[in-house]
């Protein structure tokens, strides 16, 4: 089957990669490979994924910015229904882009995926009436291993497309309402 198109170093952040799979369509619908180890390896993403996850959310839900502390995961994320604005924040020590963020629209329509390396914070905002979000990870979920940074931290400065919510309020989990600031994250790292 077809190859993927991989846009690397997104927003100048090395390691992030927007993936566009080859889509074969006709009057009946379409077919695409959402993951093929050989194609991804050829694109420089030689990872073994061990778990698939899926979530459903309504418009205005913002999940993130989450990261793993001791068991970091590479992630391959995509949307199978609806549209989200997906964000990754570089938390790799020694990285030239430490603390920088990149955002991309992922939707069932554009079929794009985002590969996020280990040691990034990740989050997304649902822009459509609802969305189903899928992601593959390279390590198993450890419930006590998750950290987070406030979605609207001014020092990171993610430019979320809030104007596209049409008056819908941001919906956060109780956990995400209490996330740390970026300054607290830095203080705890040292």
């Amino acid at each position: 089957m077809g190859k993927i198109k991989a846009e690397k170093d997104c927003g100048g952040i090395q390691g992030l990669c927007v993936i566009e799979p080859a889509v074969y369509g006709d009057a009946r619908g379409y077919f695409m490979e959402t993951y093929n180890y050989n194609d991804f390896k050829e694109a420089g993403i030689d990872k073994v994924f061990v778990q698939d996850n899926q979530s459903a959310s309504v418009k205005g839900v913002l999940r993130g910015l989450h990261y793993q502390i001791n068991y970091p995961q590479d992630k391959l994320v995509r949307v199978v229904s609806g549209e989200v604005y997906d964000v990754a924040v570089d938390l790799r020590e020694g990285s030239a882009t430490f603390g920088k963020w990149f955002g991309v629209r992922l939707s069932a329509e554009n079929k794009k995926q985002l590969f996020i390396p280990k040691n990034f914070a990740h989050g997304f905002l649902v822009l459509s009436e609802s969305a189903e979000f899928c992601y593959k990870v390279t390590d198993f979920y450890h419930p006590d291993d998750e950290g987070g940074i406030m979605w609207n931290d001014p020092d990171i400065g993610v430019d979320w497309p809030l104007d596209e919510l049409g008056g819908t309020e941001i919906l956060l989990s109780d956990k995400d309402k209490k996330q740390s600031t970026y300054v607290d994250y830095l203080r705890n790292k040292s």
Side-chain angles (χ1 to χ4, degrees):
M1 268 293 143
K3 301 285 183 183
I4 59 174
K5 179 180 171 190
E7 175 191 331
K8 296 183 179 183
D9 301 336
C10 303
I13 302 175
Q14 191 174 42
L16 287 177
C17 188
V18 174
I19 307 292
E20 292 187 54
V23 180
Y24 305 94
D26 59 26
R28 301 169 297 153
Y30 72 89
F31 172 85
M32 68 179 188
E33 288 181 353
T34 60
Y35 176 75
N36 178 303
Y37 173 79
N38 292 329
D39 289 347
F40 275 71
K41 183 178 178 182
E42 188 176 309
I45 303 171
D46 187 5
K47 304 294 178 184
V48 175
F49 294 100
V50 298
Q51 183 174 320
D52 282 6
N53 303 311
Q54 184 166 337
S55 68
S57 305
V58 296
K59 186 174 189 173
V61 165
L62 196 148
R63 298 182 187 266
L65 298 164
H66 304 149
Y67 61 88
Q68 292 71 44
I69 301 165
N70 297 306
Y71 302 96
Q73 303 168 324
D74 299 290
K75 298 175 184 77
L76 179 62
V77 302
R78 67 189 180 101
V79 171
V80 295
S81 172
E83 180 179 22
V84 307
Y85 187 70
D86 198 74
V87 171
V89 180
D90 190 351
L91 298 180
R92 298 171 296 177
E93 293 203 26
S95 168
T97 53
F98 184 86
K100 303 293 184 211
W101 66 274
F102 172 76
V104 64
R105 289 174 185 278
L106 303 177
S107 69
E109 186 176 318
N110 72 22
K111 298 174 181 45
K112 290 181 180 179
Q113 300 175 57
L114 180 63
F115 174 75
I116 306 163
K118 292 177 181 171
N119 299 311
F120 275 72
H122 173 253
F124 64 88
L125 171 64
V126 178
L127 300 174
S128 52
E129 290 306 312
S130 63
E132 289 185 48
F133 188 86
C134 297
Y135 53 109
K136 303 174 97 47
V137 293
T138 57
D139 199 351
F140 297 102
Y141 176 66
H142 299 271
D144 298 325
D145 192 52
E146 191 168 70
I149 298 172
M150 290 173 30
W151 67 275
N152 59 350
D153 185 277
D155 291 311
I156 293 175
V158 174
D159 187 15
W160 299 98
L162 301 177
D163 56 327
E164 295 182 36
L165 295 179
T168 300
E169 290 191 30
I170 296 291
L171 300 171
L172 300 169
S173 68
D174 288 341
K175 175 179 68 175
D176 285 341
K177 289 176 185 175
K178 302 173 193 169
Q179 296 292 12
S180 304
T181 64
Y182 181 61
V183 170
D184 289 336
Y185 168 81
L186 294 174
R187 189 176 300 126
N188 292 333
K189 291 293 285 180
S190 46

